[in-house]
PDB file of all heavy atoms in Angstrom:
ATOM      1  N   GLN E  44       4.686  42.071 -23.960  1.00 96.00           N
ATOM      2  CA  GLN E  44       4.305  40.723 -24.341  1.00 96.00           C
ATOM      3  C   GLN E  44       3.874  39.830 -23.162  1.00 96.00           C
ATOM      4  O   GLN E  44       2.953  39.115 -23.123  1.00 96.00           O
ATOM      5  CB  GLN E  44       5.409  39.898 -25.005  1.00 96.00           C
ATOM      6  CG  GLN E  44       5.670  40.522 -26.467  1.00 96.00           C
ATOM      7  CD  GLN E  44       6.761  39.717 -27.131  1.00 96.00           C
ATOM      8  OE1 GLN E  44       7.119  38.633 -26.947  1.00 96.00           O
ATOM      9  NE2 GLN E  44       7.157  40.285 -28.220  1.00 96.00           N
ATOM     10  N   ALA E  45       4.636  39.881 -22.051  1.00 96.00           N
ATOM     11  CA  ALA E  45       4.293  39.166 -20.777  1.00 96.00           C
ATOM     12  C   ALA E  45       2.907  39.740 -20.273  1.00 96.00           C
ATOM     13  O   ALA E  45       2.134  38.873 -19.850  1.00 96.00           O
ATOM     14  CB  ALA E  45       5.407  39.375 -19.762  1.00 96.00           C
ATOM     15  N   GLN E  46       2.795  41.024 -20.169  1.00 97.00           N
ATOM     16  CA  GLN E  46       1.468  41.491 -19.694  1.00 97.00           C
ATOM     17  C   GLN E  46       0.284  41.025 -20.631  1.00 97.00           C
ATOM     18  O   GLN E  46      -0.718  40.681 -20.042  1.00 97.00           O
ATOM     19  CB  GLN E  46       1.511  42.957 -19.697  1.00 97.00           C
ATOM     20  CG  GLN E  46       0.231  43.602 -18.998  1.00 97.00           C
ATOM     21  CD  GLN E  46       0.278  45.152 -18.948  1.00 97.00           C
ATOM     22  OE1 GLN E  46       1.162  45.756 -19.619  1.00 97.00           O
ATOM     23  NE2 GLN E  46      -0.475  45.721 -18.003  1.00 97.00           N
ATOM     24  N   GLU E  47       0.452  41.049 -21.889  1.00 96.00           N
ATOM     25  CA  GLU E  47      -0.623  40.635 -22.828  1.00 96.00           C
ATOM     26  C   GLU E  47      -0.959  39.140 -22.564  1.00 96.00           C
ATOM     27  O   GLU E  47      -2.261  38.704 -22.711  1.00 96.00           O
ATOM     28  CB  GLU E  47       0.081  40.747 -24.261  1.00 96.00           C
ATOM     29  CG  GLU E  47      -1.028  40.449 -25.312  1.00 96.00           C
ATOM     30  CD  GLU E  47      -0.328  40.711 -26.692  1.00 96.00           C
ATOM     31  OE1 GLU E  47      -0.093  41.794 -27.064  1.00 96.00           O
ATOM     32  OE2 GLU E  47      -0.033  39.669 -27.396  1.00 96.00           O
ATOM     33  N   GLN E  48      -0.048  38.358 -22.091  1.00 94.00           N
ATOM     34  CA  GLN E  48      -0.298  36.885 -21.799  1.00 94.00           C
ATOM     35  C   GLN E  48      -0.566  36.663 -20.430  1.00 94.00           C
ATOM     36  O   GLN E  48      -0.690  35.535 -20.034  1.00 94.00           O
ATOM     37  CB  GLN E  48       0.803  36.057 -22.422  1.00 94.00           C
ATOM     38  CG  GLN E  48       0.970  36.164 -23.895  1.00 94.00           C
ATOM     39  CD  GLN E  48       2.043  35.243 -24.494  1.00 94.00           C
ATOM     40  OE1 GLN E  48       2.426  34.281 -23.781  1.00 94.00           O
ATOM     41  NE2 GLN E  48       2.662  35.537 -25.518  1.00 94.00           N
ATOM     42  N   GLY E  49      -0.644  37.628 -19.595  1.00 94.00           N
ATOM     43  CA  GLY E  49      -0.828  37.485 -18.194  1.00 94.00           C
ATOM     44  C   GLY E  49       0.353  36.641 -17.531  1.00 94.00           C
ATOM     45  O   GLY E  49       0.105  35.772 -16.599  1.00 94.00           O
ATOM     46  N   ALA E  50       1.556  36.914 -17.948  1.00 95.00           N
ATOM     47  CA  ALA E  50       2.715  36.104 -17.438  1.00 95.00           C
ATOM     48  C   ALA E  50       3.647  37.099 -16.816  1.00 95.00           C
ATOM     49  O   ALA E  50       3.681  38.360 -16.904  1.00 95.00           O
ATOM     50  CB  ALA E  50       3.368  35.413 -18.623  1.00 95.00           C
ATOM     51  N   GLN E  51       4.610  36.492 -16.157  1.00 95.00           N
ATOM     52  CA  GLN E  51       5.813  37.136 -15.682  1.00 95.00           C
ATOM     53  C   GLN E  51       6.961  36.799 -16.560  1.00 95.00           C
ATOM     54  O   GLN E  51       6.879  35.948 -17.432  1.00 95.00           O
ATOM     55  CB  GLN E  51       6.280  36.760 -14.222  1.00 95.00           C
ATOM     56  CG  GLN E  51       5.135  37.085 -13.267  1.00 95.00           C
ATOM     57  CD  GLN E  51       5.490  36.568 -11.832  1.00 95.00           C
ATOM     58  OE1 GLN E  51       6.265  35.613 -11.784  1.00 95.00           O
ATOM     59  NE2 GLN E  51       4.773  37.132 -10.870  1.00 95.00           N
ATOM     60  N   TYR E  52       8.129  37.566 -16.481  1.00 96.00           N
ATOM     61  CA  TYR E  52       9.264  37.210 -17.420  1.00 96.00           C
ATOM     62  C   TYR E  52      10.520  37.302 -16.629  1.00 96.00           C
ATOM     63  O   TYR E  52      10.682  37.937 -15.591  1.00 96.00           O
ATOM     64  CB  TYR E  52       9.281  38.261 -18.581  1.00 96.00           C
ATOM     65  CG  TYR E  52       9.541  39.664 -18.245  1.00 96.00           C
ATOM     66  CD1 TYR E  52      10.837  40.210 -18.299  1.00 96.00           C
ATOM     67  CD2 TYR E  52       8.593  40.422 -17.821  1.00 96.00           C
ATOM     68  CE1 TYR E  52      11.085  41.545 -17.941  1.00 96.00           C
ATOM     69  CE2 TYR E  52       8.812  41.847 -17.447  1.00 96.00           C
ATOM     70  CZ  TYR E  52      10.052  42.334 -17.679  1.00 96.00           C
ATOM     71  OH  TYR E  52      10.399  43.687 -17.248  1.00 96.00           O
ATOM     72  N   LYS E  53      11.483  36.632 -17.204  1.00 95.00           N
ATOM     73  CA  LYS E  53      12.881  36.603 -16.722  1.00 95.00           C
ATOM     74  C   LYS E  53      13.831  36.768 -17.848  1.00 95.00           C
ATOM     75  O   LYS E  53      13.735  35.864 -18.869  1.00 95.00           O
ATOM     76  CB  LYS E  53      13.181  35.267 -16.050  1.00 95.00           C
ATOM     77  CG  LYS E  53      14.619  35.166 -15.489  1.00 95.00           C
ATOM     78  CD  LYS E  53      14.818  33.843 -14.826  1.00 95.00           C
ATOM     79  CE  LYS E  53      16.314  33.738 -14.339  1.00 95.00           C
ATOM     80  NZ  LYS E  53      16.552  32.415 -13.841  1.00 95.00           N
ATOM     81  N   ILE E  54      14.544  37.816 -17.871  1.00 96.00           N
ATOM     82  CA  ILE E  54      15.497  37.951 -18.982  1.00 96.00           C
ATOM     83  C   ILE E  54      16.576  36.982 -18.933  1.00 96.00           C
ATOM     84  O   ILE E  54      17.295  36.867 -17.891  1.00 96.00           O
ATOM     85  CB  ILE E  54      16.033  39.431 -18.944  1.00 96.00           C
ATOM     86  CG1 ILE E  54      14.947  40.550 -19.189  1.00 96.00           C
ATOM     87  CG2 ILE E  54      17.155  39.658 -20.002  1.00 96.00           C
ATOM     88  CD1 ILE E  54      15.312  41.918 -19.007  1.00 96.00           C
ATOM     89  N   THR E  55      16.858  36.280 -19.999  1.00 95.00           N
ATOM     90  CA  THR E  55      17.857  35.227 -20.012  1.00 95.00           C
ATOM     91  C   THR E  55      19.168  35.602 -20.844  1.00 95.00           C
ATOM     92  O   THR E  55      20.100  35.067 -20.679  1.00 95.00           O
ATOM     93  CB  THR E  55      17.365  33.909 -20.634  1.00 95.00           C
ATOM     94  OG1 THR E  55      16.868  34.191 -21.883  1.00 95.00           O
ATOM     95  CG2 THR E  55      16.169  33.383 -19.664  1.00 95.00           C
ATOM     96  N   GLU E  56      19.006  36.683 -21.654  1.00 95.00           N
ATOM     97  CA  GLU E  56      20.142  37.145 -22.480  1.00 95.00           C
ATOM     98  C   GLU E  56      19.908  38.539 -23.044  1.00 95.00           C
ATOM     99  O   GLU E  56      18.795  38.882 -23.338  1.00 95.00           O
ATOM    100  CB  GLU E  56      20.237  36.113 -23.724  1.00 95.00           C
ATOM    101  CG  GLU E  56      21.386  36.403 -24.596  1.00 95.00           C
ATOM    102  CD  GLU E  56      20.810  37.225 -25.814  1.00 95.00           C
ATOM    103  OE1 GLU E  56      19.758  37.134 -26.177  1.00 95.00           O
ATOM    104  OE2 GLU E  56      21.771  37.880 -26.390  1.00 95.00           O
ATOM    105  N   ALA E  57      20.889  39.358 -23.096  1.00 96.00           N
ATOM    106  CA  ALA E  57      20.923  40.537 -23.655  1.00 96.00           C
ATOM    107  C   ALA E  57      22.259  40.946 -24.413  1.00 96.00           C
ATOM    108  O   ALA E  57      23.266  40.611 -23.818  1.00 96.00           O
ATOM    109  CB  ALA E  57      20.554  41.653 -22.758  1.00 96.00           C
ATOM    110  N   ASN E  58      22.182  41.249 -25.694  1.00 94.00           N
ATOM    111  CA  ASN E  58      23.347  41.444 -26.428  1.00 94.00           C
ATOM    112  C   ASN E  58      23.263  42.954 -27.058  1.00 94.00           C
ATOM    113  O   ASN E  58      22.250  43.175 -27.626  1.00 94.00           O
ATOM    114  CB  ASN E  58      23.487  40.492 -27.525  1.00 94.00           C
ATOM    115  CG  ASN E  58      24.716  40.629 -28.428  1.00 94.00           C
ATOM    116  OD1 ASN E  58      25.489  41.442 -28.083  1.00 94.00           O
ATOM    117  ND2 ASN E  58      24.858  39.666 -29.318  1.00 94.00           N
ATOM    118  N   THR E  59      24.313  43.752 -26.928  1.00 91.00           N
ATOM    119  CA  THR E  59      24.343  45.026 -27.511  1.00 91.00           C
ATOM    120  C   THR E  59      25.480  45.187 -28.588  1.00 91.00           C
ATOM    121  O   THR E  59      26.695  44.995 -28.180  1.00 91.00           O
ATOM    122  CB  THR E  59      24.433  46.191 -26.516  1.00 91.00           C
ATOM    123  OG1 THR E  59      25.589  45.903 -25.726  1.00 91.00           O
ATOM    124  CG2 THR E  59      23.271  46.118 -25.534  1.00 91.00           C
ATOM    125  N   ASN E  60      25.141  45.206 -29.777  1.00 87.00           N
ATOM    126  CA  ASN E  60      26.172  45.641 -30.787  1.00 87.00           C
ATOM    127  C   ASN E  60      25.612  47.037 -31.348  1.00 87.00           C
ATOM    128  O   ASN E  60      25.623  47.983 -30.659  1.00 87.00           O
ATOM    129  CB  ASN E  60      26.140  44.500 -31.872  1.00 87.00           C
ATOM    130  CG  ASN E  60      26.808  43.349 -31.434  1.00 87.00           C
ATOM    131  OD1 ASN E  60      27.837  43.358 -30.655  1.00 87.00           O
ATOM    132  ND2 ASN E  60      26.424  42.187 -31.821  1.00 87.00           N
ATOM    133  N   ASN E  61      25.155  46.984 -32.565  1.00 90.00           N
ATOM    134  CA  ASN E  61      24.611  48.259 -33.013  1.00 90.00           C
ATOM    135  C   ASN E  61      23.165  48.431 -32.512  1.00 90.00           C
ATOM    136  O   ASN E  61      22.547  49.544 -32.492  1.00 90.00           O
ATOM    137  CB  ASN E  61      24.538  48.274 -34.620  1.00 90.00           C
ATOM    138  CG  ASN E  61      26.080  48.569 -35.080  1.00 90.00           C
ATOM    139  OD1 ASN E  61      26.821  49.045 -34.329  1.00 90.00           O
ATOM    140  ND2 ASN E  61      26.215  47.979 -36.325  1.00 90.00           N
ATOM    141  N   ARG E  62      22.464  47.287 -32.317  1.00 94.00           N
ATOM    142  CA  ARG E  62      21.069  47.300 -31.732  1.00 94.00           C
ATOM    143  C   ARG E  62      21.069  46.224 -30.593  1.00 94.00           C
ATOM    144  O   ARG E  62      22.003  45.610 -30.400  1.00 94.00           O
ATOM    145  CB  ARG E  62      20.066  46.733 -32.841  1.00 94.00           C
ATOM    146  CG  ARG E  62      19.976  47.756 -33.886  1.00 94.00           C
ATOM    147  CD  ARG E  62      18.827  47.481 -34.890  1.00 94.00           C
ATOM    148  NE  ARG E  62      17.495  47.285 -34.268  1.00 94.00           N
ATOM    149  CZ  ARG E  62      16.685  48.248 -34.016  1.00 94.00           C
ATOM    150  NH1 ARG E  62      17.076  49.498 -34.091  1.00 94.00           N
ATOM    151  NH2 ARG E  62      15.512  47.977 -33.597  1.00 94.00           N
ATOM    152  N   VAL E  63      20.045  46.362 -29.708  1.00 95.00           N
ATOM    153  CA  VAL E  63      19.885  45.504 -28.592  1.00 95.00           C
ATOM    154  C   VAL E  63      19.036  44.288 -28.993  1.00 95.00           C
ATOM    155  O   VAL E  63      17.983  44.383 -29.675  1.00 95.00           O
ATOM    156  CB  VAL E  63      19.208  46.211 -27.352  1.00 95.00           C
ATOM    157  CG1 VAL E  63      18.929  45.171 -26.163  1.00 95.00           C
ATOM    158  CG2 VAL E  63      20.074  47.293 -27.014  1.00 95.00           C
TER     159      VAL E  63
END
Side-chain angles (χ1 to χ4, degrees):
Q44 288 183 16
Q46 183 178 21
E47 185 177 286
Q48 296 183 27
Q51 297 178 340
Y52 66 94
K53 177 181 178 183
I54 296 172
T55 57
E56 179 265 334
N58 182 1
T59 58
N60 288 325
N61 290 334
R62 292 191 52 85
V63 175

